[in-house]
Amino acid sequence: MTASAGPARRIPMIGTSWKMNLLPSTAPAWFGTVTRGIAATSSDPATADREWFVLPPFPALAAAQASLEGSPIRWGGQDVHEDDAGAHTGDVSAPMLADLGCTIAEIGHSERRRDHGETTAMISGKVRAALRWGLTPLLCVGEATQGVPDAAIGLVEGELAGALRGLGPGDLAQVVVAYEPAWAIGEGAQAADLKHVAALHAAIRGWLDARGATAVRVLYGGSVNPRNAADLLTVPGVDGLFVGRAALDPEAFVAIATVTLPQQENGS
Ligand code: PGA
């Protein structure tokens, strides 16, 4: 793996998906706590250079737009259909997301692959749909079962190649990757250990850099919480965090989103 370009500056990105939690009526309280909490640290140089996002369920996206417009927090969908319109009952398209002010579409989460049988071809189509509408595709990759890093690297590189195949450099540069080992996600799970995270992020970084995608950020997801966020963020190659259940508590999300790092070393 050869880094074909010099190190790009990648602004750390911290966000959350609520998955199928909270309600349109309870969402504004969450948005309020988080926007106030983040605004309170805006003069702190440690967090000034950071991006944040939230991916509520579709019915709460209008509330996100109403609450977050003009704030530094981006919002987006947890999924997107490959097509722009048509006979696809229950699905949501990229122009619908864009119309609600979304700037991100999460694609290929392990729960979507598991519950909805999403295939590589579908995931690749979703990435293209997001790009057509100016949405950042947040592409989730990660191995299903716990094992040695080498086995996981092979699987993850296969997922990247399948999802991103055929994209030109301009499109590739718009993507954000979330490395999320499925075994580290959800109730009862624990975050992957830092060595595993370092090995996988180095491999993903190498894969992207070899294709000139030096600006693409690679987030870690899987049982992130306020206690492990700083350690995970200081792993070389970790450009941000993608948080699930811990962030349902807005104060906990603020703690993660504004965490101060001992030494700002990541990103090179
Ligand atoms: P978790 O979910 O933080 O609840 O483990 C992470 C994810 O699925 O992105």
Side-chain angles (χ1 to χ4, degrees):
M1 66 190 112
T2 50
S4 56
R9 216 178 82 75
R10 295 185 292 273
I11 297 172
M13 193 175 191
I14 300 179
T16 177
S17 159
W18 294 353
K19 306 190 178 184
M20 198 173 72
N21 292 295
L22 306 184
L23 297 169
S25 61
T26 56
W30 191 99
F31 298 135
T33 303
V34 169
T35 42
R36 280 191 300 275
I38 284 177
T41 67
S42 62
S43 57
D44 179 349
T47 60
D49 200 18
R50 233 170 242 187
E51 278 182 24
W52 299 280
F53 67 89
V54 56
L55 311 180
F58 295 132
L61 283 175
Q65 184 175 34
S67 298
L68 299 177
E69 198 119 62
S71 85
I73 303 163
R74 299 166 66 179
W75 62 98
Q78 297 175 14
D79 179 44
V80 65
H81 195 272
E82 302 98 290
D83 294 343
D84 291 347
H88 301 291
T89 300
D91 280 312
V92 168
S93 71
M96 294 173 187
L97 295 178
D99 195 54
L100 282 165
C102 293
T103 59
I104 299 179
E106 181 181 4
I107 294 165
H109 189 278
S110 57
E111 288 153 15
R112 298 279 325 164
R113 297 180 197 244
R114 180 196 70 200
D115 296 348
H116 299 273
E118 291 194 0
T119 62
T120 303
M122 288 163 76
I123 289 165
S124 154
K126 288 167 188 247
V127 169
R128 285 162 188 276
L131 289 168
R132 274 198 301 281
W133 288 87
L135 303 170
T136 300
L138 175 56
L139 172 66
C140 301
V141 296
E143 75 279 14
T145 51
Q146 191 165 9
V148 294
D150 279 354
I153 288 168
L155 288 165
V156 164
E157 288 183 343
E159 287 182 333
L160 289 170
L164 302 176
R165 72 170 156 237
L167 293 189
D171 280 342
L172 199 51
Q174 304 309 312
V175 174
V176 172
V177 174
Y179 168 61
E180 302 208 309
W183 52 268
I185 290 175
E187 218 50 67
Q190 286 187 352
D193 68 70
L194 299 182
K195 270 199 185 140
H196 188 92
V197 174
L200 268 292
H201 278 256
I204 295 170
R205 184 77 267 143
W207 192 95
L208 291 165
D209 288 356
R211 286 154 184 82
T214 56
V216 169
R217 287 170 286 192
V218 186
L219 318 184
Y220 168 80
S223 298
V224 175
N225 60 45
R227 293 173 304 286
N228 62 20
D231 285 346
L232 286 162
L233 269 179
T234 36
V235 173
V238 172
D239 304 314
L241 300 173
F242 192 19
V243 191
R245 64 199 185 282
L248 293 174
D249 170 359
E251 304 279 4
F253 182 64
V254 170
I256 297 167
T258 60
V259 70
T260 338
L261 304 183
Q263 210 51 113
Q264 305 250 300
E265 267 178 358
N266 61 321
S268 58

